[in-house]
Amino acid sequence: MVEERRPFRVIGKSHPRVDVVEKVSGSYSYVGDMSVPGMLHAKVLRSPHAHARVKRIDTRGAEAVPGVRAVLTPDDVLDKPVYRANAVSPSAPNFTDAHILEQEVRHVGDRVAAVAATSVEAAEEAIAKIEVEYERLPAVFDFEEAMQPDAPSVHEAVLWGGTEIPIVNNSNSLPGMTEGAFGDVEEGLRKADVVVENTFRTGRPHNAPLNCAASLCRPLPGGGLEIWSHSQGIHPHRICLAASLGITLGKIRLHRVSPGGAFGLYIYVHFTDFICAALALKAGMPVKLEDTREEMFLDGGRHPALIKLRTGAMKDGTLVAMDMWLADGVGAYEPLPGMCSLMCGFFLSKYRCPNKRFDGRSVYTNTPPLCAMRGAGNPQVHFAVESQMDILAEELGMDPVELRRKNNPGEGDHFIGQGMEITSSIQSCGLEQLVHEGAKRIGWDNRKGYAPYEDRPWIKRGIGMASGFHTSGAGSEKPASYMLDYSGAIVKMNEDGTANLTLAAVDFGSGNVTAMAVMAAEELGIRYEDVIVTDASTENSLYEHWIHASRSVYSVGGAVKAASGKAKDMILDWAGLMLEVPARDLDTGDGRVFSVKDPSQGTTIREVLEFAQSQGLGTAIGTTSHRATACPPHFVVTFVEVDVDTLTGAVKLVRVFQSADVGTPINPEAVRGQLVGGLHMGMGYALTEDVVYDPEDGHVVNPNFKDYKLLTALDMPDVETLLADSVEPTGPFGAKGVGEGATNTVAPAVYNAVYNAVGVRICTMPLTPEKIVDALKVSGKTAEAKPVPLAASPTRS
């Protein structure tokens, strides 16, 4: 059932971003732009070997370089494990498998030593003069090979809290976080009329924000630190730093700074932050450390996965069994333990099916550590499952759209988000509207592949689609033992009727803080322009968890709405005294307080606040700490039309219909921006983006934007967007998320469209021209390069 949207004064209109002037004018200070008096510059000495033990370090040459103020080696920090991701609380078990600097390096570019000096040049000179003796060890670079019994061991053991967990065959399977099931899968497969079984391999794209990781740390009196850093959560970031450095939590002041793009890269603490902080403490002076572009590729990127999928259905298309075996490549260190847990929840929620099973494992290799990246395991799951659904539809002789419609989740269904403990019931679902409208607009009924160009008959056109979802946060009715969803907001009214909004929530490019200002304005009854978002740090803001899982609008928005509501209640109480009207009969809007019974009677909010001040009543303020108790899925449907050059294998997207069910769109243009941005990232995932390691020594072959192939605006197709007519009952003003779901469905839609165009199915990523040409040769479907009449091509609506 679709609830009717209520009328809003501010929500639903397009507003400029709160930071737009600073950023477009170049006046915004990112961490890389910052400096403080007496600041030193840092550089890191990195290992040339993929796996080695550090036998000896001689730093005398470095210490003799003029301007050097501190040299850091593993001996300085060896006993300090680093906590890169705080899940619940400082006292809860934390996962550790790395140190600030390593005595045993595990990938080319791993951290061996660091220097702080008065100039970048002096730091670089000092790094070059550090002598290191290594004992080389066997290494493994491919995560499929790493699972073999005779593969070199990357880690012998890791720590979960104080418990040592042995690593067998390089597989890290934390208890209760790598598997889940419903029903009896084997029995379901036996009863199925059709069973399809396929293996899929996903790629290794990098988050690739325009910025580079940077940190600026200034020592404070009493052994504290003031820090400016790229972070998706300044409070959990501070918790990790305090625990890793042995500093009292309250002695660390961490500032909220826009990272200028993240896509999941800063959901955990970078080694840059630990090294910079340790150098600052040792030198007793401010230190700044910024990665080069090449160093950026030594940390981060989406996990590659090997997925074996079995799916069973009855003749009418009803799914009866879904079985996924998955190996997740994590690199040398695992900053986010339990990525398999996320993949498990996403898989188990994909479609209605009585019998489901997920069996996963995380696998170490001697390659740079990976991280969360827009979707955190969900793009991998969607690629496999949505490709499999098209394969199953063909086996059944069924329309792929109809197969999905028959099995799509809907209102009232049980939904699992980021693992088995994080659950909701689906209370809003616009999937049917999105699928129906997308099929109509893309011309689905005429989707048979054809040659659209009379003079280039070797170019074939096809249509594909995929449907899916992502969570809106990681909330659950009962708090999960391994993940928190907690937000805080402070709303303070000024005497002129404007409001200050203080949030720890970081805006890393999506415009989420702008959405918070819109919601505050709506609830308070003032103009969007009259909400001023303040600078925030861990000292003046309430606790906010990592911004991830598309939780900003849903979870942070819930806190903003509640805090704004408390400030509004104070205004109404004071207006009641001033107007001699019960507060319950008053409301706010357009900067006024008015009578609900007779809106012409009232006064301005400014006059109410001035009255309160004159009477010594105080300041209107609202503060809220808010735990989300649900994680409603936002649904996304993607239809794509592609051209495939059968001579070169080149794939070009011609037209895309990208749609989403986000509940109430708070700032519609920002939502559409997310849909188009998610399309761009999904296209790169499908076609070009992949970090490549040298098979001989494991170094990154393409660590720059020349060799790492990002798509540009010139590669974008015509895009049409649609937002479903839905309202989420549990969300602030009926809203839910959108950021990550916009990417999940793109890659499988592209692969399905290519199959529709040329009739070859490829199950590995990315979809390079070479793979298409080779597959066409094997299938015997290579086209002849001679013209044919265009009249033979079907027409499209």
Side-chain angles (χ1 to χ4, degrees):
M1 181 181 68
V2 176
E3 294 188 37
E4 185 177 350
R5 288 180 181 163
R6 54 173 275 196
F8 296 110
R9 291 184 171 89
V10 186
I11 285 173
K13 299 175 175 62
S14 294
H15 302 281
R17 291 171 49 145
V18 295
D19 55 5
V20 65
V21 174
E22 289 179 283
K23 288 185 175 177
V24 300
S25 66
S27 61
Y28 186 87
S29 291
Y30 297 96
V31 178
D33 302 319
M34 295 178 179
S35 65
V36 296
M39 185 180 77
L40 303 176
H41 299 270
K43 285 292 178 181
V44 178
L45 177 65
R46 299 184 177 278
S47 168
H49 307 300
H51 198 189
R53 190 170 291 113
V54 176
K55 302 290 289 182
R56 180 183 62 88
I57 299 180
D58 187 342
T59 63
R60 288 174 295 179
E63 292 163 352
V65 173
V68 169
R69 297 292 183 266
V71 178
L72 205 66
T73 72
D75 289 338
D76 297 302
V77 293
L78 187 59
D79 294 329
K80 298 175 182 176
V82 292
Y83 300 95
R84 302 185 70 194
N86 171 258
V88 180
S89 71
S91 59
N94 273 289
F95 176 84
T96 55
D97 62 3
H99 298 84
I100 296 176
L101 299 172
E102 297 295 346
Q103 192 77 44
E104 181 178 330
V105 293
R106 292 180 171 85
H107 68 89
V108 173
D110 209 351
R111 303 141 287 110
V112 177
V115 170
T118 52
S119 69
V120 173
E121 293 76 14
E124 290 174 340
E125 181 183 349
I127 285 292
K129 291 187 176 182
I130 297 177
E131 296 179 5
V132 184
E133 180 185 342
Y134 295 96
E135 176 191 348
R136 296 187 64 174
L137 301 171
V140 60
F141 310 125
D142 182 90
F143 74 98
E144 295 182 47
E145 294 176 8
M147 290 185 285
Q148 302 306 313
D150 59 348
S153 179
V154 181
H155 291 271
E156 296 296 334
V158 298
L159 291 176
W160 179 251
T163 303
E164 188 174 271
I165 299 176
I167 300 299
V168 180
N169 297 333
N170 291 309
S171 295
N172 179 12
S173 299
L174 295 174
M177 299 186 74
T178 57
E179 58 187 18
F182 296 105
D184 187 331
V185 164
E186 297 302 330
E187 180 64 19
L189 291 170
R190 281 191 292 270
K191 290 182 176 180
D193 293 321
V194 174
V195 175
V196 293
E197 183 172 353
N198 291 285
T199 299
F200 302 89
R201 290 173 177 83
T202 66
R204 192 186 286 106
H206 194 269
N207 311 68
L210 291 179
N211 64 294
C212 289
S215 184
L216 171 56
C217 300
R218 176 164 59 188
L220 297 175
L225 280 172
E226 184 172 20
I227 301 171
W228 295 262
S229 178
H230 296 159
S231 174
Q232 290 180 221
I234 59 175
H235 285 279
H237 195 118
R238 179 175 68 154
I239 288 171
C240 291
L241 284 168
S244 301
L245 297 169
I247 299 176
T248 302
L249 190 65
K251 290 187 176 182
I252 296 179
R253 180 192 307 152
L254 191 62
H255 293 270
R256 185 190 70 194
V257 184
S258 173
F263 313 113
L265 186 61
Y266 301 113
I267 196 176
Y268 62 93
V269 185
H270 273 247
F271 291 117
T272 303
D273 298 301
F274 296 118
I275 295 170
C276 188
L279 281 169
L281 290 172
K282 185 172 184 180
M285 300 174 69
V287 176
K288 179 175 164 183
L289 176 57
E290 185 173 11
D291 281 351
T292 64
R293 179 61 61 192
E294 287 72 20
E295 286 175 316
M296 279 288 291
F297 281 85
L298 297 175
D299 200 354
R302 182 171 288 143
H303 294 207
L306 172 67
I307 301 172
K308 298 179 180 179
L309 196 57
R310 296 189 296 167
T311 309
M314 306 308 292
K315 291 179 181 178
D316 66 354
T318 302
L319 295 177
V320 292
M322 299 175 68
D323 187 26
M324 178 178 284
W325 180 99
L326 183 144
D328 166 37
V330 302
Y333 306 102
E334 189 174 8
L336 287 172
M339 184 68 77
C340 277
S341 177
L342 277 61
M343 294 174 173
C344 175
F346 299 143
F347 172 69
L348 295 177
S349 292
K350 268 297 283 159
Y351 286 103
R352 287 173 171 157
C353 181
N355 306 296
K356 303 177 185 177
R357 179 172 60 195
F358 177 91
D359 180 9
R361 70 270 309 122
S362 297
V363 185
Y364 286 113
T365 54
N366 292 113
T367 56
L370 304 172
C371 71
M373 179 178 170
R374 198 172 191 170
N378 215 352
Q380 297 92 315
V381 169
H382 272 71
F383 171 64
V385 174
E386 289 299 287
S387 296
Q388 184 89 325
M389 288 295 280
D390 266 37
I391 295 169
L392 178 61
E394 187 170 33
E395 287 290 321
L396 290 166
M398 192 172 183
D399 185 330
V401 163
E402 294 308 316
L403 177 63
R404 288 172 171 85
R405 277 178 165 159
K406 190 173 188 67
N407 297 285
N408 271 335
E411 291 181 17
D413 285 343
H414 182 68
F415 176 74
I416 304 173
Q418 318 268 337
M420 295 296 289
E421 293 185 24
I422 299 173
T423 62
S424 289
S425 63
I426 299 176
Q427 299 188 47
S428 63
C429 180
L431 260 179
E432 180 62 30
Q433 178 189 1
L434 301 180
V435 171
H436 173 78
E437 193 64 29
K440 182 175 68 174
R441 297 192 192 185
I442 204 74
W444 182 259
D445 291 342
N446 296 319
R447 70 187 184 282
K448 185 176 181 180
Y450 74 105
Y453 308 107
E454 183 175 3
D455 59 338
R456 290 172 290 162
W458 55 90
I459 295 179
K460 307 296 183 183
R461 180 165 292 182
I463 291 178
M465 66 86 62
S467 63
F469 63 84
H470 201 74
T471 61
S472 301
S476 189
E477 183 175 344
K478 179 182 177 182
S481 64
Y482 56 86
M483 191 175 294
L484 188 68
D485 194 303
Y486 214 80
S487 295
I490 302 172
V491 175
K492 179 185 75 71
M493 298 302 300
N494 300 310
E495 287 71 28
D496 63 355
T498 61
N500 288 118
L501 173 61
T502 302
L503 299 166
V506 178
D507 188 332
F508 39 85
S510 62
N512 51 320
V513 172
T514 298
M516 302 306 115
V518 170
M519 285 190 273
E522 184 69 47
E523 183 68 12
L524 291 167
I526 62 178
R527 299 185 309 157
Y528 165 73
E529 294 81 1
D530 290 335
V531 177
I532 299 96
V533 179
T534 63
D535 293 334
S537 73
T538 48
E539 286 190 337
N540 66 8
S541 63
L542 303 182
Y543 181 88
E544 179 67 59
H545 204 52
W546 305 104
I547 297 301
H548 72 119
S550 302
R551 64 180 293 272
S552 290
V553 164
Y554 183 78
S555 302
V556 185
V560 169
K561 185 176 187 296
S564 301
K566 290 181 179 180
K568 176 181 176 178
D569 287 344
M570 296 180 72
I571 294 169
L572 295 179
D573 285 342
W574 295 339
L577 294 174
M578 180 181 175
L579 300 173
E580 299 182 345
V581 176
R584 64 177 178 274
D585 293 337
L586 298 174
D587 202 354
T588 62
D590 299 323
R592 298 179 64 247
V593 180
F594 56 85
S595 167
V596 175
K597 297 177 181 178
D598 182 4
S600 66
Q601 295 185 4
T603 186
T604 66
I605 291 176
R606 176 173 184 159
E607 288 172 331
V608 173
L609 295 172
E610 289 179 344
F611 166 79
Q613 186 181 45
S614 70
Q615 299 300 306
L617 298 177
T619 298
I621 189 169
T623 65
T624 296
S625 289
H626 166 77
R627 185 183 75 82
T629 57
C631 56
H634 60 270
F635 296 97
V636 179
V637 175
T638 302
F639 284 85
V640 303
E641 189 170 33
V642 303
D643 281 351
V644 182
D645 189 321
T646 58
L647 298 181
T648 67
V651 176
K652 179 182 179 182
L653 272 71
V654 178
R655 192 162 58 103
V656 175
F657 178 80
Q658 180 83 321
S659 59
D661 163 23
V662 304
T664 301
I666 301 300
N667 194 10
E669 284 306 306
V671 174
R672 293 186 177 94
Q674 288 281 36
L675 290 177
V676 175
L679 169 65
H680 177 270
M681 186 166 281
M683 288 168 56
Y685 188 38
L687 299 174
T688 63
E689 293 187 48
D690 204 25
V691 175
V692 180
Y693 303 135
D694 187 297
E696 298 299 322
D697 65 6
H699 79 272
V700 179
V701 174
N702 56 339
N704 53 65
F705 287 164
K706 175 185 175 184
D707 299 316
Y708 181 80
K709 301 302 181 183
L710 285 168
L711 297 176
T712 72
L714 297 178
D715 299 300
M716 291 297 288
D718 291 334
V719 184
E720 186 176 358
T721 63
L722 175 72
L723 305 180
D725 300 319
S726 71
V727 175
E728 172 53 46
T730 67
F733 303 103
K736 48 187 176 179
V738 65
E740 289 168 282
T743 292
N744 292 337
T745 51
V746 177
V750 171
Y751 274 69
N752 290 337
V754 169
Y755 179 79
N756 177 246
V758 297
V760 294
R761 171 71 61 178
I762 296 171
C763 298
T764 62
M765 300 182 79
L767 187 58
T768 62
E770 294 83 359
K771 290 179 183 178
I772 293 175
V773 169
D774 289 345
L776 287 171
K777 288 178 180 177
V778 170
S779 68
K781 295 180 180 180
T782 304
E784 294 183 12
K786 61 182 182 181
V788 296
L790 185 61
S793 302
T795 58
R796 295 295 174 97
S797 59

